[in-house]
Amino acid sequence: MSRITTRVLWGAAVVGAVATTALAARTLLDRQAAQARRLIGKPLGEDALEADRVWRRKLEGDPIELLVLGDSIAAGLGAQRRKETLGARLAIGLAKKAKRPVRLRTAAVVGSESSALGAQLDELADDYRPDVAVIIVGGNDITHRVAVSTAVRHLVVAIERLRARGVQVVVGSCPDLGALRPVPQPLRSLGSRMSRQLADAQEDAAVGAGAYAVSLRHAVGPFFISQPDEMFSLDRFHPSPLGYRRTAEALLPAVAGALGYGRTSAATRHPTGESDPAR
């Protein structure tokens, strides 16, 4: 047998082994994903509580307009009372800092991927001009295997549309899916790695497009990992009321700071070329 033929055969054997290993790995991950979906289920349903209203309306001044876009976390699925949703907690916190009422508008939809941000913006009236918008999205992009570049492209388009309206934008980057205990290994580790890659890309793209970026993985991830029973709701997938409180506390400095009501936190990355407006 010639040396060239031997190399070809060895090469074919290696390719075959790699393909077999990849197929086995994909089969395992698909099986584990199905198992995780069965364990998590939908005990919370698919509709978040309606929290849109003017919060702290007794305060003086015109209401600050707060818009929330994104997925089930942005919508507040898992909160037991409307004041416990992410949007309501942000509105209440912002009203306290600004000493003005805050009108909340939640356009976020449970189950949304980044590609849904455009449709959420399309639902808004042409003359609607929020003062600040908060975007949280990405988890469903990971679970549905959306390419990072595709997810980030949709996020950037949404930011650019909002900035064109003169809206300040705060992006809470994709949480670390490695905190999801119902997801078995090695799928959980893979989800953790993929969600971190997406979060990093989201933060870079957001600040480049003119938004403030807050790393939820760094700001609240450790709480979800160390206190899962307290931080997760009934389905062990979405935040509990305490989980939403922690998430709102992480985002609030950026939301208020973007409007000039105090300083942003160390977890906040500023739009390219901008510094803390309160400094």
Side-chain angles (χ1 to χ4, degrees):
M1 186 179 296
S2 69
R3 200 174 283 179
I4 294 177
T5 302
T6 302
R7 289 176 180 174
V8 170
L9 290 176
W10 270 109
V14 171
V15 170
V18 170
T20 301
T21 302
L23 178 60
R26 174 60 65 87
T27 301
L28 172 62
L29 294 176
D30 286 343
R31 186 167 64 246
Q32 289 189 334
Q35 177 186 351
R37 284 193 291 270
R38 287 194 301 271
L39 286 172
I40 294 170
K42 293 184 179 181
L44 303 175
E46 297 184 357
D47 297 312
L49 293 175
E50 171 64 56
D52 289 2
R53 52 168 282 188
V54 177
W55 292 89
R56 298 296 187 262
R57 61 174 64 247
K58 292 184 179 180
L59 293 173
E60 297 182 357
D62 295 329
I64 296 171
E65 300 289 341
L66 169 64
L67 171 66
V68 181
L69 301 160
D71 56 21
S72 53
I73 294 178
L77 187 65
Q80 297 174 2
R81 295 181 291 179
R82 62 180 182 175
K83 70 178 183 180
E84 296 170 341
T85 62
L86 180 66
R89 287 193 178 279
L90 287 173
I92 293 169
L94 180 58
K96 183 177 180 180
K97 283 182 173 290
K99 296 180 174 53
R100 288 172 55 187
V102 176
R103 181 181 287 111
L104 173 64
R105 170 75 166 88
T106 306
V109 178
V110 174
S112 290
E113 300 172 10
S114 298
S115 59
L117 292 174
Q120 293 177 17
L121 288 173
D122 290 341
E123 290 295 318
L124 304 175
D126 291 339
D127 59 352
Y128 176 59
R129 295 289 185 275
D131 296 293
V132 61
V134 176
I135 303 175
I136 298 180
V137 73
N140 294 309
D141 293 280
I142 298 300
T143 59
H144 295 132
R145 299 179 183 173
V146 176
V148 169
S149 59
T150 300
V152 169
R153 183 172 69 251
H154 288 296
L155 174 63
V156 168
V157 170
I159 294 171
E160 290 175 341
R161 288 180 62 179
L162 288 164
R163 294 296 295 138
R165 293 190 182 199
V167 182
Q168 295 289 353
V169 181
V170 175
V171 174
S173 59
C174 183
D176 186 355
L177 299 191
L180 301 177
R181 295 295 181 86
V183 179
Q185 297 288 13
L187 183 60
R188 194 194 315 164
S189 294
L190 177 61
S192 178
R193 188 177 78 241
M194 294 174 64
S195 60
R196 291 183 182 203
Q197 290 174 345
L198 177 57
D200 289 343
Q202 286 177 323
E203 292 164 29
D204 289 341
V207 298
Y212 293 80
V214 178
S215 172
L216 295 182
R217 170 166 60 94
H218 289 111
V220 298
F223 295 110
F224 282 88
I225 292 174
S226 63
Q227 305 170 37
D229 293 339
E230 293 82 10
M231 298 297 289
F232 283 105
S233 61
L234 179 64
D235 65 359
R236 294 182 293 170
F237 187 85
H238 294 92
S240 66
L242 177 58
Y244 280 119
R245 192 187 86 187
R246 292 286 194 187
T247 303
E249 288 172 350
L251 290 166
L252 183 59
V255 175
L259 298 176
Y261 296 110
R263 295 182 175 182
T264 58
S265 68
T268 304
R269 290 180 59 185
H270 290 233
T272 301
E274 292 191 19
S275 59
D276 194 325
R279 294 179 180 173

